[in-house]
Amino acid sequence: MSHVAQLITSLDRIGGAEQQVRLLARGLKQRGWRVSVIALTGSGGPAGRELAAAGIEFVSLGMRKGLADPRGWLRFHRWLRRATPDVVHSHLPHSTLLARWTRITAPMPVLIDTLHSSATGGRSRRFGYRLSSFLADRVTAVSDAAAQAHIAAGTVPCEKLMVMPNGIEPERWRPDSQLRVVTRRDLSLTDEFLWLAAGRLEPVKDYPTLLRAMALLPQSARLIVAGSGWQESQLKALAAQFGVLSRVHFAGFVRDLERWMQAADAFVLCSRYEGLPTVLIEASAAGLPAVATDVPGVREALGRGVDEARLASPGDAAALACAMTGLMQIPAAERQAIGARARRFATGQFN
């Protein structure tokens, strides 16, 4: 039985890259592979237990000081010699650099790594990628935008790079009118227009701009923010300062995001940068029309023919509010048609 190891920084917090690792692990297991998921840090949380229950080995290297922790390097080296995986697939910069340099002294027949963002990092990261590029057999990027950004930065040779988009499970996101009614009733919603935003509460997602935009929307607009992170208390204070705290619900990290998708009328993404935003693809698969900042990867997630009126420049609260208001003013039947087209595109392109 062939053995593949997925290497990720952590599974304690689930974002786009972590979700892809879970999907890949389960999918490869179903196809008859032996699968291991190795996290540099953390306990794995519910995701680690979910993988273990599916017969997928989960291992944490217990690194506490990032790549400067020599114990993690030794644990990974020992695990490779004991488990002898046929393929190691690394995700995100720390995991990639750990896998590449470990290959010099440990058996690793095939090494693949994936670029999940169009952000190429600072000088030290770019230098580390360039210096170690000879150690990877193939580099994949989740979008053309991410690929082009790294080619321009010189972090990966063109001949080693290929685009392999993120994927979703279409049936999980199928619209459910009954669940929508129940969830909206639980939220005490009647005719209010509900926006949903999802993602970690950190600067890259730029929630302050979204909260400023909310202050410019009609009073009927409501917003649910699904995600956790160190900015939570700061964002709640901003919501109060902008006078929208009563219209914004911070739901924290939620495992059943599809339930919130069913309750929403539209999705909004306010990121400063992305690679290929999986959550935007999931919203489309749930039949939600979306408004998003025009950052790399967004047009690929929504389709090349996306309406320019639903895109806003990053950091521009007024432009974001204008796009959101415009979508709110479209008749419900037309919004549903937009959502149906979005679902067809998402499920056809990213299954």
Side-chain angles (χ1 to χ4, degrees), residues 195 206 208-217 268-270 290-294 307-329:
W195 289 92
D206 198 11
T209 293
L210 178 55
L211 294 175
R212 290 187 181 93
M214 275 296 296
L216 301 174
L217 295 188
V268 58
L269 183 82
C270 194
V291 164
T293 44
D294 193 5
D307 186 350
E308 297 287 336
R310 293 194 282 127
L311 298 175
S313 299
D316 190 335
L320 185 66
C322 182
M324 294 170 74
T325 301
L327 187 59
M328 290 177 65
Q329 292 173 343

Side-chain angles (χ1 to χ4, degrees), residues 19 33 64-65 105 153 157 173 218 221 254 296 319 323 336:
Q19 176 70 353
W33 285 69
R64 297 183 178 180
K65 299 179 181 179
T105 57
W173 305 100
V254 295
Q336 290 170 3

